[in-house]
Amino acid sequence: MRKLKTKPFGKIEVDESQELTFPNGIFGFENYKKFYILENPESPFIWLQSAEEEGLAFIMIHPLQFKGDYELKISPEEFNEIEIKDKEKELLDFVIVTIPSDPSKMTANLQGPIIININKKLGKQAISLKEEYEVKCPILEEMSSTLKTSEDSKEEKKEEKGEK
């Protein structure tokens, strides 16, 4: 176990075998290569905490938690860079969240997903090939849109059953 000073949780112990290497760093933070994922079971958000700089941590979320039609679409070369061979078994993907002073306006960067090979402990920030994805996608607006679509779908199914 390693003691780590973190931005969100103060001093904690982490399992050194869980350290992730980002060979190219994160866009804008290319000099930082070592990170840990820190989870809070009571929150949909997770933290990507630098092992090299306690003040550097990124809030992340899995995009399907707020955007029901999200599709990870990046070039095969980006998967190859972190040695992904089987996406179903090796891949974790997240998006970085920005929370301004008004949390209701938080956004997610769908254009720059974070991909992680959980077996090799390698990660990178990729570039989405889905041009319609935004760098600042409003999370709460997407959530309410996804919930509304889900509720509409349930209503349609109820109506269909009633007709039969």
Side-chain angles (χ1 to χ4, degrees):
M1 296 296 270
R2 170 184 176 180
K3 289 190 189 312
L4 187 67
K5 287 183 182 178
T6 70
K7 184 175 182 175
F9 304 112
K11 258 187 196 174
I12 60 169
E13 285 194 351
V14 292
D15 181 347
E16 288 180 272
S17 70
Q18 297 304 305
E19 185 176 84
L20 302 172
T21 300
F22 282 68
N24 301 317
I26 303 288
F27 299 149
F29 301 91
E30 290 83 1
N31 294 331
Y32 300 95
K33 315 277 189 202
K34 304 291 183 183
F35 291 87
Y36 286 93
I37 288 181
L38 308 178
E39 297 182 66
N40 177 348
E42 298 165 13
S43 170
F45 301 104
I46 65 165
W47 293 80
L48 185 65
Q49 172 68 53
S50 170
E52 300 153 308
E53 172 57 54
E54 71 181 86
L56 181 60
F58 300 93
I59 302 170
M60 303 190 306
I61 190 170
H62 190 280
L64 286 173
Q65 289 187 290
F66 68 91
K67 185 167 178 54
D69 62 349
Y70 176 80
E71 177 188 5
L72 177 65
K73 188 173 180 185
I74 61 174
S75 73
E77 292 80 19
E78 298 212 79
F79 288 118
N80 291 340
E81 284 180 38
I82 60 168
E83 303 175 33
I84 295 280
K85 296 189 182 10
D86 184 341
K87 292 177 200 163
E88 295 291 318
K89 294 180 181 173
E90 298 175 319
L91 177 68
L92 285 179
D93 67 304
F94 301 98
V95 292
I96 293 177
V97 174
T98 300
I99 303 177
S101 55
D102 178 355
S104 70
K105 297 193 179 341
M106 73 176 107
T107 61
N109 181 355
L110 298 181
Q111 265 301 315
I114 300 293
I115 58 171
I116 297 169
N117 180 328
I118 55 175
N119 294 335
K120 303 276 185 170
K121 305 286 187 248
L122 292 171
K124 80 172 282 137
Q125 186 170 20
I127 297 175
S128 176
L129 297 177
K130 304 250 325 168
E131 291 180 18
E132 66 270 24
Y133 285 170
E134 301 173 66
V135 173
K136 291 187 174 187
C137 174
I139 292 176
L140 296 181
E141 283 179 32
E142 278 295 332
M143 279 180 145
S144 60
S145 172
T146 297
L147 289 173
K148 182 173 179 359
T149 302
S150 175
E151 288 171 7
D152 290 349
S153 176
K154 286 178 187 173
E155 284 299 315
E156 286 173 13
K157 286 180 183 174
K158 284 180 185 176
E159 288 174 11
E160 286 174 12
K161 286 180 181 177
E163 291 176 6
K164 290 181 181 177

